[in-house]
Amino acid sequence: MNKQEMNNIELIIGKILRIGVIISVAVMIIGLLMLMIEGNGGYSANQFPTSFKSIGQGLLALKPDAVLMLGVFLLILTPVLRVVVSIYAFFKEHDYLYTYITTFVLIILLGAMIAGYWIGR
């Protein structure tokens, strides 16, 4: 991989991080405005959408807490996408050691998310 391709991949990684943060913050601001307008999150006391299904159902019902949770999920997803693009970059560079290490990091991230999902149920 030549230097120009590497610079392009680094620019893509930077754009992913910027766009991911901007979108997630925008979604959270929308959720916060909805919360301020409605005066409640759309769920009974001490209940929040914690699964993909409940977030999806809450989004369809326009519940502010569901919109806020989507924003948080998108914010968490942003660095995970950066790791995926890094795996691609290292593979294209034929830097297999870092490809393996970064793949291992991705597996740990996904495992932690899955474990957190199951523990939180």
Side-chain angles (χ1 to χ4, degrees), residues 59-118:
L59 290 171
L60 291 174
L62 297 175
K63 294 183 178 184
D65 281 352
V67 176
L68 287 167
M69 288 302 289
L70 175 64
V72 170
F73 175 72
L74 292 173
L75 188 62
I76 292 169
L77 186 63
T78 300
V80 175
L81 289 175
R82 189 243 190 266
V83 171
V84 170
V85 173
S86 295
I87 291 170
Y88 171 76
F90 291 134
F91 182 77
K92 288 290 282 184
E93 264 188 354
H94 302 287
D95 191 343
Y96 298 115
L97 175 63
Y98 280 104
T99 301
Y100 297 136
I101 291 170
T102 310
T103 302
F104 183 67
V105 168
L106 180 62
I107 291 168
I108 291 171
L109 284 170
L110 294 175
M113 283 196 266
I114 291 168
Y117 172 76
W118 286 107

Side-chain angles (χ1 to χ4, degrees), residues 7-78:
N7 286 339
N8 288 341
I9 290 174
E10 288 176 12
L11 288 173
I12 290 170
I13 290 172
K15 284 180 184 179
I16 287 171
L17 293 173
R18 275 192 302 278
I19 291 170
V21 169
I22 289 168
I23 291 172
S24 62
V25 167
V27 170
M28 285 189 267
I29 288 172
I30 291 168
L32 184 60
L33 291 172
M34 290 171 65
L35 182 64
M36 291 169 57
I37 291 168
E38 291 187 25
N40 65 49
Y43 296 90
S44 57
N46 297 325
Q47 286 189 324
F48 304 97
T50 55
S51 68
F52 294 121
K53 182 180 178 182
S54 63
I55 291 172
Q57 291 170 341
L59 290 171
L60 291 174
L62 297 175
K63 294 183 178 184
D65 281 352
V67 176
L68 287 167
M69 288 302 289
L70 175 64
V72 170
F73 175 72
L74 292 173
L75 188 62
I76 292 169
L77 186 63
T78 300

